[in-house]
Amino acid sequence: FFFASASVGFAEECDPLVPDHCMLPFPNDFWRTSNKLNFSQNTFPLDGKGVNIDPVVGGWNELDGFSPIPTILAFWPNMTDSSISNVASWKDMSKSLSSDSPTLLIDTSTGTLVPHWGELDSRSGATEQDRALILYPSSRLKDATRYIVALRGIRNSEGLVSTSPAFAALRDNTTDPAVEHRRKHFETIFASLAKAGVQRSSLQLAWDFTTNSRESLNGRMLAARDDALKRVNDAGPAYTINKVTHNVSAEIAVQIEGTMNVPFYLNRHCLGYIDLCNDVRLVLDEAGKPVYQGLQKYTWIAMVPHSLTQPGAKPGTILQYGHGLFGDKKEITYGSESGLREDANKYGWVLAACDWIGLAARDESGLAAMLATNMTNFPMLPDQTTQGVINSLMLMRLLKGRLHTDPNFVFNGKSAIDPSKTYYNGNSQGGILGGVYMAVTTDVQRGSLGVGGAPYALLLPRSADFSALFDVISLRYKNTVDRICLFAVLQLLWDRADPSAYLHAISSDPFPDTPTHHVMMHSGLGDAQVSWLANHMFSRSVGAKIFESNVHYPDEVLFGFDRIADNSSVPIGSNLMVQFDFGVPEVPFGNVPPSKAGDTHECSRRNAECRLMMEAFMRTGQTTNACKGPCK
């Protein structure tokens, strides 16, 4: 294909197809040259002081494509919700496949239409004069694949929107010096659209983009994982025990706190909190792979229930827990709020957790400072999260290995741990990053992911948890379209530690030397922290099944899910999504957070029927609908 030359100054910086905003439309192969992204210093939004986000220093130009779950953006002035009333919404994505859909997304490798949905931005404080059009695919796109976006019949308050002079020149074969070098490439776009039955003259805007390759998305994580596992072998990392507490509660007999010596791949150990970590990065070799920097101590907690300490008790299952956003490993000690400790005692689980560094309590101040001052430092988040995933893998290997025979885990002459039985259970951030963990772990094959979702660019505008940080961004970026563009910009790097880059590898296309995994997702309607739409995106992307009575909003079509009869079991080898209706008001239609007053974020994990299904699924890979109908 023919791409913009670096010598074409204007074309390199801003695409004239959308003259109102430099980086639109997006994602866009206009900024892809020689199989690498090639953003200029001023392509991304500038803040109110003219400070840019540097795509070279920050690493954006090291990517070879765009996000596999992209935030697709376009813009015309004066658009209202009625302007896109005929665009498929999240309530019924099947309309995007109709012959008269005004929005089209085409997979050029097959020529097929890709289901998707659209909305106008409502989160950025936008007025009716400056609301970006946003499209999302219904599920994760394929890696290293070229897609075409086409728009037609889009209206604003004045009627059909006007086509930009640059696109009109390409469509109508008239002269415009700004786009002459792209004409040959655009003819391939128009030819693909013609095969799909789209009249060239009907187009108001069309462009193409290519998704990232597996190597670009997953290469760093897998290289660090493989190196770390070779270094610790089956025994797991060396460790020390720092504190042992007996008779913790009616359910927990022993709480053990310790440290482990984990293979380390960052340029320095960041303590967090007042140490803002803005300079922390993975150390990479010339091939872009993480380089081992020695061993680093990280802390962990494990808990053994009373049931596993009794004479004659069989060894128990290891259940590794993933904590929530800006939380820490101590979340497992609060287990009575979710029934975690009770279920551990009932079912014989040895609970364990470490911190998800990168998005743990220690990281909140540093991330806020980065957003407030210099987003070129955004790699601090995915790079530290990569180390956080490695730490979690090391903890599971330690539990299966050295800790299996540690005296603190031995009762009546027998270990409380059966190293052949392992589960993962995460909620909120633990459910989100659990999507990464469950794709790369070689020690766990089934897990429960509560109120998770993907990608962050979809869930954050709808999250009440992000409101304070969004206010920080709004102080720096006054233009409302720029604000929503930033989510798409940051997602490009976040992908390396976001489930959107890993969902395909959980079950359908595992990574090399990695087993197939299966997961159960659960959530509640009205979640104010992690949107059910992000949960649906996650679930569709792993091919999850749902029970035929799965709850939904009025007029919502649960598109893209295979149904299971309520009186049937989930087949072995399947993923499952279960949703609950706790009777709270319907969420806003647009991309704004629901009220926290009716937040259901923690409800499903506490629900008795949900806990029954989680346990059965993790233990056997099967479960029936414990709700016996709609889960309410």
Side-chain angles (χ1 to χ4, degrees):
F1 302 125
F2 186 90
F3 298 100
S5 167
S7 64
V8 183
F10 174 78
E12 183 190 20
E13 192 152 290
C14 303
D15 189 341
L17 296 187
V18 177
D20 306 85
H21 291 279
C22 183
M23 68 167 276
L24 299 184
F26 193 88
N28 188 348
D29 274 352
F30 173 77
W31 290 292
R32 186 170 182 266
T33 306
S34 301
N35 297 322
K36 289 287 185 181
L37 299 190
N38 187 27
F39 298 110
S40 80
Q41 291 294 318
N42 295 317
T43 298
F44 298 154
L46 305 179
D47 73 5
K49 296 180 179 180
V51 177
N52 72 325
I53 301 172
D54 191 320
V56 177
V57 174
W60 279 269
N61 285 1
E62 297 171 11
L63 301 169
D64 61 19
F66 295 93
S67 297
I69 306 180
T71 301
I72 301 171
L73 296 164
F75 177 82
W76 286 277
N78 304 315
M79 296 183 69
T80 65
D81 287 329
S82 60
S83 303
I84 62 166
S85 59
N86 56 346
V87 172
S89 73
W90 57 262
K91 287 202 169 185
D92 188 0
M93 300 176 205
S94 65
K95 293 180 179 179
S96 66
L97 301 177
S98 66
S99 59
D100 60 350
S101 174
T103 59
L104 300 169
L105 181 59
I106 297 176
D107 178 345
T108 65
S109 69
T110 61
T112 55
L113 295 177
V114 178
H116 60 277
W117 57 280
E119 63 185 357
L120 293 180
D121 176 36
S122 300
R123 182 65 178 92
S124 298
T127 66
E128 290 189 353
Q129 286 72 44
D130 55 4
R131 300 175 69 188
L133 173 63
I134 309 172
L135 303 179
Y136 290 105
S138 65
S139 60
R140 186 189 191 277
L141 302 179
K142 296 187 294 188
D143 293 336
T145 301
R146 178 173 167 254
Y147 292 85
I148 292 173
V149 184
L151 305 176
R152 56 187 181 170
I154 304 295
R155 309 179 71 86
N156 62 12
S157 59
E158 301 165 0
L160 288 173
V161 298
S162 300
T163 300
S164 68
F167 184 74
L170 292 167
R171 182 193 63 189
D172 302 337
N173 285 314
T174 57
T175 301
D176 186 332
V179 294
E180 289 307 311
H181 60 287
R182 302 168 71 184
R183 192 172 297 280
K184 182 178 178 181
H185 178 61
F186 263 77
E187 287 303 317
T188 69
I189 294 176
F190 296 135
S192 295
L193 291 171
K195 288 181 180 179
V198 179
Q199 289 186 353
R200 182 167 176 157
S201 61
S202 70
L203 293 168
Q204 296 164 309
L205 184 61
W207 74 96
D208 61 347
F209 67 90
T210 302
T211 52
N212 253 313
S213 68
R214 174 175 281 197
E215 177 61 30
S216 185
L217 289 169
N218 311 125
R220 294 181 181 183
M221 181 75 75
L222 294 178
R225 177 201 70 171
D226 293 345
D227 184 75
L229 289 175
K230 287 179 182 178
R231 292 181 184 278
V232 303
N233 299 311
D234 290 344
Y239 71 99
T240 57
I241 300 296
N242 301 327
K243 183 179 180 181
V244 179
T245 306
H246 295 276
N247 295 315
V248 175
S249 69
E251 303 83 22
I252 301 301
V254 185
Q255 179 173 305
I256 305 109
E257 299 174 51
T259 59
M260 55 182 174
N261 297 332
V262 172
F264 189 64
Y265 301 93
L266 298 172
N267 59 341
R268 73 176 181 89
H269 178 54
C270 179
L271 299 176
Y273 299 107
I274 61 173
D275 180 359
L276 299 180
C277 311
N278 286 177
D279 62 335
V280 176
R281 301 288 187 277
L282 288 168
V283 178
L284 305 173
D285 62 19
E286 291 183 357
K289 298 297 177 60
V291 178
Y292 175 69
Q293 300 295 297
L295 297 172
Q296 181 60 54
K297 293 183 183 295
Y298 285 98
T299 57
W300 51 267
I301 294 178
M303 303 171 75
V304 181
H306 286 289
S307 62
L308 295 180
T309 67
Q310 303 305 306
K314 294 181 179 180
T317 298
I318 304 166
L319 188 145
Q320 186 169 1
Y321 184 79
H323 65 73
L325 179 66
F326 300 139
D328 60 33
K329 58 188 173 295
K330 294 179 182 178
E331 195 169 304
I332 63 167
T333 68
Y334 314 146
S336 287
E337 296 179 7
S338 62
L340 185 60
R341 293 195 305 220
E342 289 81 357
D343 286 349
N345 195 39
K346 178 178 180 180
Y347 299 118
W349 298 339
V350 175
L351 303 177
C354 59
D355 293 347
W356 282 119
I357 71 162
L359 285 163
R362 43 151 261 174
D363 300 300
E364 185 173 12
S365 57
L367 291 174
M370 176 270 295
L371 293 174
T373 59
N374 188 357
M375 291 191 200
T376 298
N377 286 327
F378 187 78
M380 63 180 285
L381 193 161
D383 284 11
Q384 289 191 96
T385 305
T386 298
Q387 182 68 52
V389 173
I390 299 304
N391 294 357
S392 294
L393 298 175
M394 294 299 98
L395 177 57
M396 178 55 76
R397 184 59 60 94
L398 174 61
L399 289 158
K400 291 181 59 180
R402 299 176 192 268
L403 287 181
H404 169 230
T405 55
D406 183 279
N408 293 288
F409 292 85
V410 175
F411 303 89
N412 305 305
K414 185 184 299 184
S415 175
I417 294 175
D418 181 343
S420 69
K421 295 179 180 179
T422 56
Y423 306 155
Y424 175 84
N425 177 20
N427 287 296
S428 192
Q429 184 65 59
I432 296 168
L433 285 180
V436 180
Y437 179 94
M438 287 303 298
V440 301
T441 177
T442 57
D443 291 325
V444 182
Q445 291 186 265
R446 288 193 292 271
S448 170
L449 307 180
V451 289
Y456 283 99
L458 169 59
L459 68 89
L460 287 181
R462 287 177 155 86
S463 175
D465 286 346
F466 192 70
S467 293
L469 290 177
F470 193 81
D471 289 342
V472 172
I473 292 174
S474 298
L475 289 173
R476 290 188 63 197
Y477 295 87
K478 304 301 182 183
N479 184 284
T480 56
V481 176
D482 286 348
R483 293 173 191 165
I484 202 67
C485 286
L486 286 171
F487 288 104
V489 170
L490 300 182
Q491 185 65 48
L492 288 171
L493 295 184
W494 211 336
D495 285 333
R496 287 182 170 135
D498 179 290
S500 60
Y502 296 84
L503 296 174
H504 65 301
I506 291 177
S507 302
S508 62
D509 187 17
F511 293 124
D513 303 316
T514 309
T516 299
H517 311 91
H518 295 99
V519 291
M520 171 182 159
M521 287 71 66
H522 61 86
S523 64
L525 300 180
D527 192 321
Q529 299 179 57
V530 178
S531 171
W532 92 106
L533 282 172
N535 187 269
H536 280 198
M537 179 75 79
F538 188 118
S539 299
R540 280 191 300 269
S541 296
V542 299
K545 301 181 186 299
I546 60 175
F547 290 112
E548 60 185 359
S549 63
N550 196 89
V551 300
H552 56 85
Y553 286 113
D555 303 321
E556 180 187 10
V557 176
L558 293 174
F559 177 85
F561 293 102
D562 290 336
R563 268 71 166 174
I564 307 168
D566 283 323
N567 60 358
S568 298
S569 294
V570 177
I572 289 179
S574 301
N575 298 315
L576 175 67
M577 183 188 84
V578 180
Q579 282 191 292
F580 290 77
D581 183 351
F582 295 105
V584 302
E586 186 172 347
V587 298
F589 183 76
N591 63 336
V592 294
S595 168
K596 267 208 161 185
D599 187 14
T600 65
H601 188 63
E602 297 186 6
C603 293
S604 61
R605 75 186 79 169
R606 301 177 181 181
N607 179 272
E609 288 79 14
C610 186
R611 287 160 57 189
L612 287 172
M613 288 187 277
M614 288 164 52
E615 189 280 329
F617 186 90
M618 290 190 294
R619 177 169 47 85
T620 69
Q622 291 184 294
T623 186
T624 56
N625 183 359
C627 303
K628 311 297 184 184
C631 288
K632 297 183 177 182

